[in-house]
Amino acid sequence: MLIVLGTGCAAAQPESPAGKPRAENGILRLDGHRFDRDGNVVLEGEWFFYWRRLLTPLELLSPSAETLKSVQTMELPGFWSGRTVNGEKLEGSGYATYRLKVKVDDPVNHLALYVPSIRTAYKVWVNGELMAEVGTLGKDLQSSVPRYKSQVVRIDKGGIGTLDIVLQVSNFHHRLGGVLKPLELGSVDGINDRVYSSLALEMIIIGSLLSMGLYHIGLYALRRKERGALFFGVFCVLVGIRATLTGSVVLYYFLKDLPWLTGIRIEYICFFIGVPAILMFVRSLYPLEVRREAVRTAQGLGLFFSVAVFFFPAPWFTYFIPIYQVITVIGCIYMMMCIGQALVRRREGAVFAVVGSGSYITSVVIDILYYNQWIRFGEVSSYGLLFCVFMTSFILSAKSAKAYRSVETLSRQMREMNQGLEEKIRERTAELQQINRSLEKMNEDLARMETSRRHLLSNISHDLGTPMTLIQGYVEALIDGVVTQPDQQQKYLKLIHGRIIGLSRLIADLFQLSKLEARQLDFDIRPVPADDFIRYFEERYELELAGAGLRFEMISHVMKPADSDPAWIRVDLDRIDQVLTNIIYNAVKHTPAGGLIQLLFILDEYSLVVQVQDNGTGIDPEDLPYIFDRFYKKDKSRNTARGGSGLGLAIAKEIIDYHGGRIWAQSMVGQGACLAFMLPLVNPAE
């Protein structure tokens, strides 16, 4: 697990692979290195080191005898704490100057230098130009001001093949002084990518930890019995906040004026409280394995060190960390022993607890070794915790699953007890629903039939009365001998015959309209290509209209894109032919000899529009809304003129409605009329 986590954190703290350039005796040679091809260079290795000297680049260009005498080499990255220089063992408090000459033969003129956060104040020069300054350098506690901040500085080589990097560092506020993380040199894009990817990864980790923490705290707020969710949520929030103050110190990007002392205290308090919080969580899972006394001890120690951070000044409270790290290691060992016992006793979720806690504890140990400079990689506890969070979610899921199984068992038992009753209820309910649906359908059919019946009776009484009265009069005249001449009798018989034919046509139309309204007329609706539909009616009416002394034109307009799919409509061709016949012959009645009747087809992306345009007498505006009503009786109406039944347009409207279309009319008196209907396009596969 140590090997896996160590390998995984290499992206966060880059190490120099074999064969990569490394500084020797204060010089780093980058012969043949191309930053756009070979990537960034970690400036690690031997830097010149001047202890207790804050030297400027100008002073280093003409070094004095004392400067030459005090020069040493120092391995970077690394703290100077515990190192020996000129026979003196260095402490964390102090100040020094680092210097590195980088031999670059890359022709690019613009490079970038990534300077990580350094404890606890620094200045950086490149080729004698001050590039970055964080905090205030000083030679004692009173004159220095600490601050954490990483920076990216842009370097203009100007054709110079050597970069002279001078780094001044002072530290009087932390137990460890020096440069923990390496500087990096690369192209502007390469350094920016490194910084952005590192920040993005840290933000993902921090966001995940804070989200999971708040989620578990929310679970506790909803159900107070879940105290384990509260402890784990608090622990996740603490580690998430601490993660914002380590690594790239993300919190300082949002709170630029946050004092260094406040930030370091928040970081330490999160660490001190986190240990008892995770121990309390483990006890909530396995109360028989984790002793209450151990939890009380951890709580007391965490509270003591947290309070001490506020009462002790810097750098004294930073010396608490090694002590608490030992306590943390002991607590981790005890916690793993307890979880191991839970695993042996087959406690619920113990396997996930072993894997998750083991991963997190391993990452904590790695961080402890890293901060004490015993290993070269670290700051992976956030990753370990994130994995632990996922494992913990499995434990909580197992609890939820167990609760669901219990509920399902009780539900199954109740179903078995009431199975007979429930089965009867379901059967009766299904029967009632079926009967209800049948009744609803019957009611709808009856309502339509009743409406159709009323209309039929009304229409019969309305429009059959006059023709029947006329026929009766003609017959009575013949019977009474009023008409005695043979030619007059023949004339009366022809009138009677004509009226009877009109009545037959009227009755047929009435029955057809009634069946349409009641949806009792069969339709043979099929998908038809719109092009075939148009061709079907190209020459359908030309000869008949020519025989009536009228001119006929058929025009089609296609408004769809040329590369679109073929258009289809769903129609009953015979019924649509009936609609067009009714409309066209209605136009014939009102168009004088020599007039023009046009049949237009307009096809767009959504519909097919069919228009019948004539240049006849036209329709008054007040009549337009009513021309599709049955038996609209007005002298100017086109429905009943010249012996029509007055039902043709009403039948046409019912047929178009059945097809899901729409029919309408436009006209001006003396300028002809236009009757049109629309049929929607469909997908033939549906």
Side-chain angles (χ1 to χ4, degrees):
M1 205 169 280
L2 281 168
I3 294 172
V4 172
L5 288 174
T7 305
C9 70
Q13 294 295 329
E15 297 292 325
S16 292
K20 290 293 183 179
R22 181 179 176 82
E24 295 182 0
N25 198 25
I27 299 175
L28 178 61
R29 301 183 183 277
L30 301 179
D31 300 330
H33 186 90
R34 296 293 181 267
F35 291 103
D36 57 349
R37 179 192 65 197
D38 303 323
N40 303 336
V41 175
V42 179
L43 304 183
E44 63 177 4
E46 296 177 346
W47 287 53
F48 288 125
F49 181 71
Y50 303 88
W51 176 243
R52 295 194 182 278
R53 304 293 301 278
L54 296 178
L55 302 175
T56 64
L58 185 61
E59 292 173 333
L60 291 171
L61 288 176
S62 301
S64 61
E66 183 180 358
T67 301
L68 292 173
K69 182 179 178 181
S70 62
V71 65
Q72 297 284 327
T73 59
M74 177 69 70
E75 188 76 18
L76 285 189
F79 294 126
W80 64 55
S81 308
R83 305 287 182 92
T84 301
V85 175
N86 294 329
E88 177 187 0
K89 188 174 182 179
L90 306 185
E91 297 180 352
S93 298
Y95 53 93
T97 301
Y98 297 87
R99 185 185 187 188
L100 178 67
K101 292 184 178 181
V102 183
K103 303 289 186 180
V104 182
D105 64 356
D106 194 322
V108 66
N109 283 328
H110 297 290
L111 297 175
L113 179 67
Y114 171 69
V115 185
S117 56
I118 298 175
R119 291 176 177 161
T120 53
Y122 66 87
K123 286 184 180 180
V124 178
W125 284 268
V126 179
N127 291 339
E129 181 181 356
L130 180 62
M131 306 300 293
E133 180 178 3
V134 175
T136 302
L137 291 167
K139 296 184 178 181
D140 53 34
L141 181 65
Q142 289 72 28
S143 61
S144 61
V145 177
R147 187 166 180 80
Y148 278 171
K149 185 181 180 182
S150 58
Q151 294 195 60
V152 175
V153 297
R154 186 183 176 94
I155 301 173
D156 187 1
K157 284 174 53 184
I160 300 175
T162 301
L163 300 179
D164 188 3
I165 302 174
V166 177
L167 173 64
Q168 293 181 354
V169 179
S170 71
N171 173 60
F172 293 94
H173 294 80
H174 199 279
R175 66 185 180 88
L176 298 174
V179 183
L180 175 62
K181 305 170 188 176
L183 284 71
E184 289 187 44
L185 181 66
S187 63
V188 176
D189 291 339
I191 291 296
N192 285 334
D193 289 345
R194 178 252 186 271
V195 173
Y196 295 153
S197 60
S198 177
L199 283 175
L201 182 60
E202 290 189 25
M203 290 298 293
I204 291 173
I205 298 297
I206 293 168
S208 300
L209 293 174
L210 293 178
S211 299
M212 291 298 292
L214 295 175
Y215 168 75
H216 285 90
I217 292 175
L219 286 181
Y220 172 75
L222 295 174
R223 191 168 185 267
R224 295 302 178 90
K225 292 183 178 180
E226 296 290 341
R227 300 186 63 187
L230 173 64
F231 301 145
F232 191 77
V234 170
F235 176 68
C236 290
V237 170
L238 291 173
V239 179
I241 295 174
R242 183 176 180 273
T244 65
L245 294 163
T246 59
S248 300
V249 287
V250 175
L251 188 61
Y252 285 97
Y253 284 90
F254 300 97
L255 303 176
K256 298 182 182 298
D257 298 327
L258 180 69
W260 176 88
L261 190 60
T262 302
I264 198 71
R265 281 175 171 163
I266 294 174
E267 176 189 349
Y268 283 11
I269 290 173
C270 290
F271 177 41
F272 295 151
I273 300 178
V275 174
I278 191 64
L279 195 59
M280 293 164 66
F281 168 68
V282 175
R283 174 170 168 77
S284 69
L285 294 178
Y286 310 112
L288 298 180
E289 284 72 27
V290 181
R291 297 178 62 86
R292 185 185 300 273
E293 292 77 9
V295 176
R296 299 291 188 190
T297 302
Q299 291 172 341
L301 291 172
L303 180 61
F304 170 77
F305 281 97
S306 299
V307 173
V309 166
F310 287 99
F311 286 96
F312 284 82
W316 298 110
F317 66 81
T318 64
Y319 288 92
F320 297 161
I321 292 296
I323 302 173
Y324 204 77
Q325 286 173 347
V326 174
I327 296 172
T328 301
V329 171
I330 296 173
C332 290
I333 294 173
Y334 175 73
M335 190 160 45
M336 287 303 298
M337 291 173 58
C338 296
I339 297 176
Q341 289 181 357
L343 181 63
V344 172
R345 297 171 181 173
R346 299 180 180 274
R347 302 297 189 196
E348 182 182 1
V351 175
F352 297 125
V354 168
V355 175
S357 301
S359 302
Y360 179 62
I361 290 171
T362 302
S363 65
V364 170
V365 172
I366 290 174
D367 276 2
I368 292 174
L369 298 177
Y370 171 68
Y371 287 127
N372 288 279
Q373 290 191 283
W374 294 334
I375 58 176
R376 297 292 301 277
F377 56 85
E379 294 187 343
V380 295
S381 59
S382 299
Y383 302 92
L385 175 61
L386 189 62
F387 182 75
C388 182
V389 166
F390 287 119
M391 291 297 102
T392 304
S393 67
F394 283 110
I395 298 175
L396 298 177
S397 299
K399 283 189 171 183
S400 299
K402 183 179 180 180
Y404 287 139
R405 283 195 297 269
S406 299
V407 172
E408 289 173 353
T409 301
L410 292 174
S411 299
R412 184 172 61 254
Q413 292 174 353
M414 292 181 66
R415 284 198 302 270
E416 291 173 355
M417 293 174 60
N418 301 296
Q419 184 174 4
L421 179 60
E422 291 179 354
E423 189 66 28
K424 290 180 180 179
I425 291 174
R426 280 196 297 270
E427 291 177 358
R428 293 294 177 86
T429 302
E431 292 175 0
L432 290 173
Q433 289 175 345
Q434 182 65 31
I435 294 172
N436 187 43
R437 286 192 293 268
S438 300
L439 288 174
E440 289 177 353
K441 187 175 183 305
M442 290 175 63
N443 287 334
E444 292 175 359
D445 294 340
L446 288 173
R448 282 197 300 269
M449 293 176 65
E450 176 63 20
T451 301
S452 177
R453 183 189 64 80
R454 287 199 306 269
H455 286 170
L456 180 61
L457 293 176
S458 174
N459 294 330
I460 289 174
S461 62
H462 182 276
D463 268 78
L464 295 187
T466 300
M468 293 297 292
T469 301
L470 291 174
I471 293 173
Q472 180 181 355
Y474 294 150
V475 173
E476 288 177 352
L478 290 173
I479 294 173
D480 295 340
V482 176
V483 179
T484 58
Q485 298 296 325
D487 55 342
Q488 290 292 328
Q489 292 177 350
Q490 188 69 22
K491 181 179 179 181
Y492 270 64
L493 289 174
K494 287 182 179 179
L495 288 173
I496 293 171
H497 183 262
R499 293 295 180 179
I500 292 173
I501 291 174
L503 283 174
S504 298
R505 184 170 60 249
L506 177 61
I507 292 170
D509 288 346
L510 279 172
F511 275 106
Q512 185 181 33
L513 183 59
S514 297
K515 288 185 177 181
L516 283 171
E517 290 178 342
R519 295 295 186 264
Q520 293 179 342
L521 201 63
D522 294 332
F523 278 75
D524 184 18
I525 294 181
R526 299 178 182 178
V528 177
D531 294 338
D532 294 349
F533 178 84
I534 294 173
R535 282 193 295 269
Y536 179 81
F537 292 102
E538 276 185 354
E539 300 178 356
R540 183 79 171 80
Y541 306 102
E542 185 174 2
L543 293 177
E544 297 182 25
L545 295 183
L550 300 174
R551 290 178 294 123
F552 177 74
E553 290 183 0
M554 203 285 292
I555 304 172
S556 63
H557 298 288
V558 178
M559 304 174 65
K560 291 183 58 178
D563 57 348
S564 61
D565 296 333
W568 290 71
I569 56 176
R570 296 180 66 87
V571 295
D572 183 334
L573 277 177
D574 293 335
R575 299 298 179 185
I576 297 299
D577 181 45
Q578 182 181 358
V579 171
L580 272 174
T581 300
N582 289 348
I583 295 175
I584 288 175
Y585 282 99
N586 190 72
V588 169
K589 296 174 186 177
H590 299 84
T591 303
L596 174 65
I597 294 179
Q598 290 180 326
L599 179 60
L600 286 83
F601 294 92
I602 303 173
L603 180 64
D604 59 21
E605 296 184 21
Y606 306 102
S607 62
L608 173 64
V609 177
V610 182
Q611 294 183 354
V612 178
Q613 175 75 50
D614 64 58
N615 58 357
T617 57
I619 307 172
D620 285 340
E622 61 268 21
D623 295 331
L624 277 176
Y626 310 106
I627 66 171
F628 295 105
D629 294 346
R630 60 172 70 200
F631 300 113
Y632 178 61
K633 295 292 186 179
K634 191 167 183 181
D635 294 340
K636 294 176 287 183
S637 171
R638 295 154 60 98
N639 280 339
T640 60
R642 304 184 186 179
S645 69
L647 298 175
L649 295 184
I651 291 173
K653 181 178 183 303
E654 288 295 331
I655 293 175
I656 295 300
D657 288 345
Y658 192 92
H659 282 77
R662 184 170 62 89
I663 190 168
W664 69 93
Q666 296 174 334
S667 177
M668 292 185 66
V669 177
Q671 298 183 13
C674 175
L675 273 70
F677 62 88
M678 178 273 295
L679 297 173
L681 301 186
V682 298
N683 185 353
E686 295 179 354

